[in-house]
Amino acid sequence: MLLWLCLCWGFSPSAGQPDSELMARYLEEQLLADYSIVEQVARRVPRQAKFLQRLETRPRMSEFHVRSTIISRYAFTTVSCTMVNSGSEAREAVFEMQIPAAAFISNFTMSIGNKTYYGEVTGKEKKNSTHDNERHKKPPSPIEGRENGYETFKASAFIPRKMQARFTLHYEELLQRRLGKYEYTVSIRPQQLVGRLRVEVNILENSGIVSLEVPPLRNSKQRGNGKAEGDVSPPPSTVIGHTKTLAKVTFNPSVVEQTRIARNGILGDFIIRYDVSRELSVGDVQILNGYFVHYFAPTDLPPLPKNVVFVLDSSASMVGTKLKQTKEALFTILQDLRPEDHFNIIGFSNRIKVWQQDRLVPVTPNNIRDAKKYIHNMSPTGGTNINGALQTGAKLLNDYIAQNDIDARSVSLIIFLTDGRPTVGETQSSKILSNTKDAIQDKFCLFTIGIGNDVDHKLLERMALENCGMTRLFQEDEDAASHLKGFYDEIGTPLLSDIRVDYPEDDVEQVTQNFFPNYFNGSEIIIAGKLINRTSDKLHVEVTASNSKKYILLKTDVAIDLPSRNDIRGVPGLEDGKGDNNYIERAWSYLTIKELLNSRLKSDDIQEKDNLMEKAKSMALAYNFVTPFTVLKMKEAGLHSEPPQEEFISPSTEGIGEKVQSLQGHKAPPGIRRGQEKQRIKISKTSADGDPHFVIDFPSSKFSVCFNIDGEPGDILRLVSDHKESGVTVNGQLIGAPAPPKGHKKHRTYFSTITILSNKPERSYLEITPKRVILDDGERLVLSCGRSAVVRSRSLEVSISAFSNITVTIRDSISFVILIHHYKKPAPYQRNHLGFYISNSKGLSSDSHGLLGQFLSHEVKLLQESLNTSRQEAGQNQTEALKANPTNTLKVKGRLVPVVWKQRRIYNGQQEVDCWFAKNNADKLIDGSYRDYLASHPFDTGTSFGTITSL
C-alpha cells in the first residue's frame, strides 16, 4: 500500500514518467489501509518496486492527524503521526513539529510495533556556575530552533523493518487576541505527501462565536501580524460549521490536493481566526471547580490621545531591504496618527539625530509631510548606539510630559526599532537595561522591534518587559513592512489606561496580575485565580480604568455555581479523556507559570531568580508542562527525544505577556475594602414616570402637586430647561402603547428615551434608553444598562445599577435618577420605559423652566373655596383638613388652578405620594399649554416658547 505510494514518489523524473499530479491521483486510488498487503502490491510492479526500494532510505508517513479543542480561548492540541519502514533493515524515523513558542508541551508518546514509550516531564538539574559562565561567554543565537514565534519539536527512533511507529504530541496554549481576533495556528509540514492527512478543530465559546474565518494556508515568509493580500478563501477541502457557541473546522486534503498546494509536502500553516461576543462590562468571568479566569476586552470606547516617539536604527547594517521596508511601514503609520496625537522621530547610528528638537509636534498635514521627508532622507551609516538613542528618546518624552499641560490620561510610549546589537557607546546589556529603566521611571511604556537574525533578542525582550511594553521579532523578508504595520496596529489605539481588576480579598487567592498600564484596541486582558470561599454563591468583580477624560468603574456579581455552563464533558473533540481536565485550572497554571518566567527574566537578584525558578518548576511538574526549567525524557533507553530549544524561549515575546500588556509591569494598589457597600440612592418625589405621571414636591409647603400629560407617541417633552444659566437641559421622548381593556384612554405613552445635555464647563450629552447609555463629551462611550458601571469625568458622573437605575450627577450640585422599567413578559399595553426623578436641584438656576424645572424655585399656595365663593388662604397646618374638601384651588403665579386629592405610587411602587391633582394636561398649572414644551428633536435646548436651539 503505502510502500507503493512512497516508492513512486521517490522515483526520479524521466521523459516517459507521467505528470506528478496524475501519478498522485493514481496512487491515491491504489492506496490501501492495511500495511500487511505490501507484498501483494510489490508483486504487481516487481521491477519498479525493487528499483525504487533501493532509492528509498527513510520511513514514509502514512498518517498525519491534528485534533484540537479550544475551550474559552484555551487550546488543547494533539498531533499524531504514523511512519512506516518498508525497508529490509531498521531505519531512523524523525518526527518534527513546529509549535507556537507560547505553547507548553504536556505529553508525548511513541509506539513502535506493540511497544509504547511514554515521555516524562522532569525538572532540569541546575548547572554549575562554571559551566554557566562558559555558556554565557558564547555569542547567543536567539533564533536557534525558532522561526517567527514558532519552535521545532523533534523526536527520533529506529523502526524495525516492515514495521511502523506512531508519534503523539500534546501541547496547550492560551490564545492571544490581536487586532480583534484570536488566531489558532497548526503547522502542516510533513515534508512529504501523506496518505491520510486531517486537521480537526473544535471550538466552544459560551460568550458566542463571531467572525469565524479560515484564510488560505500561510507559508513561513508570511508569518507575522500582517495578512497576505487576497486573504479570503479557505484551503481546499476545508469544511466549516458552527452554531452560536460551537464551531467545528476540518481540513482533509487528498494526495492530489496536497500536490496542488506543495509537491514537497510543506503545506504551511492552517489558521483559524475568530472573536467572541462582548460588550463594555466587567468582561467574561468563568468559574469551575474552585478556579476562575477573567477575560476583559471592552468595545465601543473612544481612543486615548498618544504621545509617541519613534526611535529608528539607521546604522550601516540597515542598508537595503531592512531600511526600505522600515520606511514604507513608517509612511503608513504616520498616516494613521490621529489629530489629537503628538509625535517625534529619532534616527540613530553612531550619531543621534532628532527630527524636532526638544518637543513633540501635533499631527497636522504639514507635520506629517515633513516627517515623511525626514524618514525618506534617512541613510544607513555608522554603528549602533542603542543606549544613547533610548536615553535621548526618554528625555524627549519626559521633558514634553513635564513641560506641557498634556491630558493626564493620554498614553505616552516609545517605539524602538533595530536590527543589531550595541556597537557604539554603552555596549553592556545590563548597563543599557538599568539606564533605560532609570530614564523611563515607569512614566511610559517601551515597545521594541527586532529585524533580522543579528538582533539581540534577549536585550529587546527584557527592555520591553521591564518598561510595560512588548517586543516583536521579524525576519528580513518581503513582508517585513506589513509585519511592522501590523505590530503598530496592535498598540496604536489605546482605549484605557491604569486598568485595575479587583476581587474581594477574602474570596480569592493566588490571583495573577490585576493591574495593567494600558489596554489596546483589539487585545485582551486576562486574570486568573483560585477561590477561597467555596460556599459562596457569587464572586464580586470590579474593574476601574481611565478613558480619556473619564474614569470608569464596572462592577458585577458572578454566579459561582455554573457547572452546566462551564463543564466541558461531552464536548466534541474531547472524547480522548481530556474532557475530565479542568481547563480553567490549567489556564490559571499556564498564566501563573508565564508570570513566574517573566518575573525571573526581569530580576537581577540571584536568590530571587532561584526562588522564582523553583516555583515555576514545581508548578510545571504538577501540571506536566515542558518549560525552561523542565525537560521531557523518555522512559525507555535507546530513544532520543529533543524538546524545543528552551534557552531562548520568550514568554513575553510570543506568550501571554502580550495579551495582558506586561504581567509584572506594575504592582497593583490595595484590593477591595470589604466595607465598601453600595449607598442607597436618595430619591425626591419630583418626577415624571409611568404614563407619564408628573409629581412636584414642595417641601416648605408640606404637600405635593401632580398632573398627567397625554402626549402623542414620538412627542419630545422638555422636562428641565436651564441651558442659559447652568447649561443643563433634559428632554424625554414618548413611545406609544395600546390602552388597557375598558380604559378611558385611546392609548398609553411612556418615556422611551431621556436625553440630558450640558454645556458647562464643557459640552456633553447623555442619551438613555432601557437598554443602553450613550455618553458623548467629544468622545462617544456606550454602556449597557444590564451591567453595573460608574463613569466619571471632571464635571459629570454616570452610575449604572444593572437593570435598575442610572444616576447622573453634574458638577456635584445637580443629580437626576432615571429608573429602568423592564418587563420580562410585557402585556400588550406595557412597554419597557424610563422614569425621571430629580434628586438634587441646587445647581439649577431660579430661571430654570420645563414641565418640572419651572416649579423648582417657586412656591405654590393652596386655597379653600367655600360655598359662598369667598376664598381663604390655607395655612400649612390646615392641609389635612382640606383633603376631604373636593373643591380646592392652587394659586400659581397668580393663576387659580382647581385640584382634587389623589394618591400616586412612584419609584416602582415603593413609595406612595399624596398629592393635589391638576386635570386637563395641567391646564393653568404650567406656563402656557403642554404643547409649548414640545422639543423639535432630543438635543433641542430651546429655553423659551417658540425658541429652538441645539447643543
Side-chain angles (χ1 to χ4, degrees):
M1 120 275 108
L2 194 55
L3 174 64
W4 173 231
L5 167 65
C6 299
L7 296 182
C8 288
W9 182 248
F11 186 75
S12 300
S14 64
Q17 186 182 14
D19 178 81
S20 60
E21 183 174 321
L22 295 176
M23 177 65 75
R25 187 183 301 276
Y26 173 75
L27 295 177
E28 182 182 27
E29 293 172 355
Q30 300 297 320
L31 202 60
L32 301 175
D34 191 349
Y35 199 82
S36 64
I37 62 170
V38 165
E39 292 185 2
Q40 297 179 22
V41 179
R43 281 197 295 270
R44 294 175 188 170
V45 282
R47 292 183 181 178
Q48 188 178 23
K50 192 176 296 184
F51 172 69
L52 294 178
Q53 189 174 6
R54 292 197 300 268
L55 299 178
E56 183 60 42
T57 59
R58 61 172 178 169
R60 305 297 293 177
M61 190 178 297
S62 64
E63 182 182 59
F64 182 86
H65 188 187
V66 179
R67 168 183 278 180
S68 174
T69 300
I70 304 170
I71 311 162
S72 297
R73 295 79 145 172
Y74 195 76
F76 298 88
T77 301
T78 300
V79 182
S80 60
C81 170
T82 301
M83 293 188 180
V84 180
N85 177 14
S86 58
S88 57
E89 58 185 20
R91 291 174 180 168
E92 185 182 31
V94 179
F95 168 66
E96 290 188 16
M97 181 67 189
Q98 289 189 1
I99 65 173
F104 286 150
I105 292 172
S106 57
N107 201 0
F108 177 68
T109 60
M110 197 158 38
S111 299
I112 303 175
N114 57 359
K115 294 183 179 180
T116 301
Y117 305 89
Y118 296 92
E120 182 180 17
V121 178
T122 62
K124 275 187 180 178
E125 295 181 4
K126 189 175 181 181
K127 298 179 181 179
N128 59 60
S129 57
T130 305
H131 182 78
D132 275 359
N133 291 337
E134 291 177 358
R135 179 172 62 86
H136 285 296
K137 289 178 183 177
K138 298 178 182 179
S141 304
I143 63 165
E144 181 181 342
R146 66 187 295 156
E147 177 189 349
N148 282 356
Y150 292 81
E151 294 175 339
T152 301
F153 175 89
K154 178 188 273 188
S156 61
F158 280 88
I159 306 177
R161 61 185 295 271
K162 307 296 183 182
M163 296 190 72
Q164 67 180 23
R166 183 181 180 86
F167 302 89
T168 305
L169 174 69
H170 301 268
Y171 62 88
E172 302 173 22
E173 61 181 314
L174 188 58
L175 301 185
Q176 55 187 323
R177 187 170 184 257
R178 293 183 182 173
L179 302 177
K181 290 192 176 181
Y182 304 99
E183 182 172 293
Y184 175 75
T185 303
V186 174
S187 175
I188 306 176
R189 290 170 169 81
Q191 302 183 41
Q192 55 182 282
L193 297 181
V194 182
R196 295 184 296 274
L197 192 156
R198 180 178 174 84
V199 176
E200 179 183 317
V201 181
N202 295 280
I203 304 172
L204 169 62
E205 295 286 354
N206 283 322
S207 301
I209 299 171
V210 297
S211 305
L212 180 67
E213 63 181 40
V214 182
L217 293 168
R218 179 177 62 189
N219 59 42
S220 299
K221 290 186 178 294
Q222 292 173 326
R223 280 179 171 171
N225 296 307
K227 294 184 181 180
E229 292 185 4
D231 188 12
V232 286
S233 59
S237 79
T238 301
V239 178
I240 304 171
H242 71 92
T243 62
K244 181 179 179 181
T245 59
L246 285 168
K248 182 174 183 178
V249 180
T250 59
F251 175 56
N252 189 20
S254 64
V255 175
V256 173
E257 289 168 326
Q258 294 174 48
T259 306
R260 290 171 179 165
I261 298 170
R263 298 185 180 184
N264 60 0
I266 302 178
L267 276 65
D269 296 328
F270 184 76
I271 304 166
I272 297 174
R273 298 191 186 107
Y274 73 95
D275 199 16
V276 299
S277 301
R278 64 184 84 245
E279 60 185 13
L280 181 59
S281 66
V282 297
D284 181 13
V285 183
Q286 300 189 18
I287 301 172
L288 183 65
N289 297 338
Y291 292 85
F292 74 89
V293 62
H294 183 179
Y295 300 98
F296 181 64
T299 58
D300 295 324
L301 291 168
L304 297 172
K306 294 192 302 295
N307 311 306
V308 57
V309 176
F310 299 97
V311 183
L312 310 176
D313 189 344
S314 60
S315 62
S317 59
M318 287 286 290
V319 68
T321 304
K322 285 186 279 191
L323 186 58
K324 177 185 176 184
Q325 304 231 340
T326 299
K327 290 181 178 181
E328 290 176 3
L330 261 294
F331 290 158
T332 307
I333 289 170
L334 289 174
Q335 207 63 46
D336 288 347
L337 291 174
R338 295 180 177 84
E340 62 270 21
D341 296 338
H342 291 76
F343 73 104
N344 204 340
I345 302 167
I346 297 175
F348 74 95
S349 54
N350 54 333
R351 297 175 57 194
I352 313 296
K353 299 178 181 179
V354 182
W355 171 49
Q356 297 286 338
Q357 289 294 331
D358 303 325
R359 64 184 182 132
L360 269 65
V361 300
V363 175
T364 65
N366 288 342
N367 285 337
I368 296 297
R369 179 200 61 203
D370 294 344
K372 288 182 177 180
K373 287 181 181 178
Y374 175 79
I375 293 172
H376 176 75
N377 293 329
M378 289 176 64
S379 58
T381 181
T384 308
N385 189 352
I386 290 178
N387 184 72
L390 287 171
Q391 294 298 303
T392 302
K395 184 178 186 306
L396 183 67
L397 201 48
N398 273 318
D399 290 347
Y400 176 77
I401 294 172
Q403 297 171 10
N404 294 272
D405 185 22
I406 66 168
D407 190 328
R409 291 172 182 149
S410 63
V411 172
S412 299
L413 50 94
I414 292 178
I415 298 178
F416 176 82
L417 182 147
T418 185
D419 75 326
R421 303 169 182 277
T423 61
V424 177
E426 181 59 66
T427 59
Q428 189 174 344
S429 294
S430 59
K431 289 287 186 65
I432 295 174
L433 288 168
S434 62
N435 291 344
T436 302
K437 189 166 181 61
D438 291 343
I440 292 177
Q441 298 178 347
D442 293 328
K443 293 181 180 178
F444 46 85
C445 297
L446 170 65
F447 298 86
T448 60
I449 303 170
I451 302 179
N453 297 338
D454 298 327
V455 71
D456 189 341
H457 162 253
K458 297 190 74 174
L459 173 62
L460 296 185
E461 174 197 11
R462 187 167 173 183
M463 280 197 304
L465 190 62
E466 289 184 349
N467 297 284
C468 71
M470 51 188 173
T471 189
R472 283 283 196 280
L473 291 182
F474 301 125
Q475 299 301 309
E476 182 183 358
D477 59 34
E478 67 273 13
D479 289 324
S482 64
H483 298 339
L484 292 174
K485 177 59 170 58
F487 178 61
Y488 173 79
D489 288 343
E490 291 185 51
I491 62 175
T493 308
L495 298 183
L496 293 173
S497 61
D498 300 329
I499 306 99
R500 174 187 172 78
V501 185
D502 277 318
Y503 316 90
E505 293 178 349
D506 297 339
D507 292 348
V508 298
E509 65 180 350
Q510 298 185 45
V511 177
T512 57
Q513 182 172 342
N514 66 335
F515 180 79
F516 311 94
N518 299 302
Y519 165 71
F520 297 100
N521 188 38
S523 63
E524 185 169 61
I525 286 174
I526 307 176
I527 309 100
K530 298 175 66 175
L531 299 179
I532 298 176
N533 187 2
R534 296 288 191 96
T535 60
S536 177
D537 60 351
K538 62 184 179 181
L539 174 66
H540 185 70
V541 182
E542 291 192 1
V543 179
T544 58
S546 296
N547 170 258
S548 187
K549 302 174 183 178
K550 294 180 283 292
Y551 164 85
I552 298 173
L553 169 62
L554 308 170
K555 51 188 177 181
T556 194
D557 290 325
V558 180
I560 289 178
D561 186 19
L562 292 173
S564 60
R565 174 180 171 88
N566 294 327
D567 196 338
I568 59 175
R569 285 174 293 185
V571 173
L574 285 185
E575 296 88 348
D576 56 0
K578 283 193 176 293
D580 296 331
N581 284 328
N582 184 346
Y583 67 97
I584 293 180
E585 179 182 354
R586 295 192 73 81
W588 166 78
S589 65
Y590 178 99
L591 276 172
T592 303
I593 293 172
K594 292 289 185 180
E595 284 196 12
L596 292 170
L597 297 178
N598 286 343
S599 297
R600 183 179 184 275
L601 182 64
K602 289 166 48 177
S603 176
D604 290 321
D605 183 87
I606 295 177
Q607 183 64 41
E608 183 183 29
K609 290 173 78 75
D610 288 344
N611 290 338
L612 291 168
M613 179 187 71
E614 290 302 321
K615 288 181 181 179
K617 182 193 297 185
S618 175
M619 182 166 284
L621 291 174
Y623 290 92
N624 215 58
F625 285 150
V626 177
T627 70
F629 311 125
T630 54
V631 293
L632 185 66
K633 294 183 178 179
M634 303 308 293
K635 289 186 177 181
E636 295 290 335
L639 300 171
H640 175 67
S641 178
E642 180 184 327
Q645 298 294 321
E646 297 289 352
E647 179 178 350
F648 299 107
I649 280 185
S650 165
S652 64
T653 303
E654 297 293 340
I656 197 65
E658 292 175 351
K659 289 183 283 299
V660 297
Q661 282 105 48
S662 177
L663 285 165
Q664 294 289 336
H666 292 71
K667 291 185 178 179
I672 292 177
R673 293 188 296 274
R674 298 294 291 177
Q676 293 178 344
E677 298 293 341
K678 183 176 68 174
Q679 295 182 351
R680 181 175 177 84
I681 297 173
K682 182 182 178 182
I683 300 291
S684 76
K685 298 176 184 178
T686 302
S687 60
D689 204 346
D691 185 14
H693 303 313
F694 288 75
V695 176
I696 299 119
D697 187 35
F698 297 98
S700 61
S701 300
K702 295 185 178 179
F703 64 80
S704 299
V705 177
C706 51
F707 59 92
N708 294 344
I709 294 295
D710 296 326
E712 296 294 325
D715 283 354
I716 300 171
L717 305 182
R718 185 173 295 114
L719 304 178
V720 177
S721 179
D722 195 27
H723 185 71
K724 287 185 177 180
E725 300 299 328
S726 67
V728 174
T729 302
V730 181
N731 296 326
Q733 184 165 8
L734 299 178
I735 187 174
K742 299 180 181 181
H744 65 281
K745 293 184 177 181
K746 62 180 180 180
H747 61 250
R748 284 187 166 190
T749 54
Y750 304 93
F751 286 119
S752 62
T753 305
I754 299 291
T755 307
I756 302 174
L757 307 102
S758 174
N759 69 342
K760 294 180 180 180
E762 53 195 11
R763 173 197 177 278
S764 61
Y765 77 82
L766 278 163
E767 184 179 324
I768 302 169
T769 71
K771 290 186 176 180
R772 66 179 187 177
V773 176
I774 300 175
L775 169 59
D776 194 326
D777 55 0
E779 294 170 335
R780 182 182 173 91
L781 178 66
V782 181
L783 300 157
S784 169
C785 291
R787 301 284 186 175
S788 296
V790 177
V791 180
R792 186 179 299 129
S793 64
R794 185 172 61 177
S795 60
L796 179 69
E797 180 179 303
V798 180
S799 177
I800 300 174
S801 179
F803 301 112
S804 177
N805 59 72
I806 299 105
T807 302
V808 180
T809 304
I810 302 172
R811 298 188 296 275
D812 295 326
S813 60
I814 303 170
S815 295
F816 305 126
V817 177
I818 296 89
L819 295 191
I820 303 170
H821 298 276
H822 184 80
Y823 301 96
K824 291 184 179 180
K825 295 181 179 180
Y829 53 87
Q830 293 175 324
R831 295 288 185 271
N832 293 335
H833 64 280
L834 304 172
F836 176 75
Y837 292 75
I838 299 178
S839 179
N840 181 4
S841 61
K842 292 180 180 179
L844 295 171
S845 75
S846 59
D847 294 328
S848 63
H849 211 267
L851 287 169
L852 293 175
Q854 62 186 298
F855 299 104
L856 298 176
S857 300
H858 298 278
E859 286 298 320
V860 175
K861 294 181 180 180
L862 180 63
L863 306 175
Q864 181 181 13
E865 186 174 299
S866 63
L867 294 176
N868 59 8
T869 69
S870 64
R871 294 184 179 89
Q872 176 186 359
E873 187 170 312
Q876 296 176 9
N877 59 348
Q878 296 177 293
T879 303
E880 291 296 325
L882 294 172
K883 292 180 183 178
N885 192 333
T887 57
N888 288 296
T889 305
L890 292 178
K891 185 176 182 180
V892 183
K893 298 180 182 180
R895 301 186 298 268
L896 299 179
V897 185
V899 292
V900 296
W901 189 254
K902 273 198 172 186
Q903 286 187 329
R904 282 272 169 86
R905 288 187 177 274
I906 62 172
Y907 198 45
N908 278 335
Q910 296 180 17
Q911 189 172 349
E912 191 173 83
V913 177
D914 295 330
C915 61
W916 293 105
F917 178 73
K919 299 181 178 180
N920 301 323
N921 282 324
D923 184 37
K924 297 183 181 180
L925 176 67
I926 59 175
D927 295 337
S929 73
Y930 96 90
R931 291 196 169 276
D932 294 322
Y933 297 85
L934 295 181
S936 62
H937 54 80
F939 307 100
D940 178 3
T941 60
T943 55
S944 61
F945 303 143
T947 302
I948 297 175
T949 58
S950 298
L951 184 65

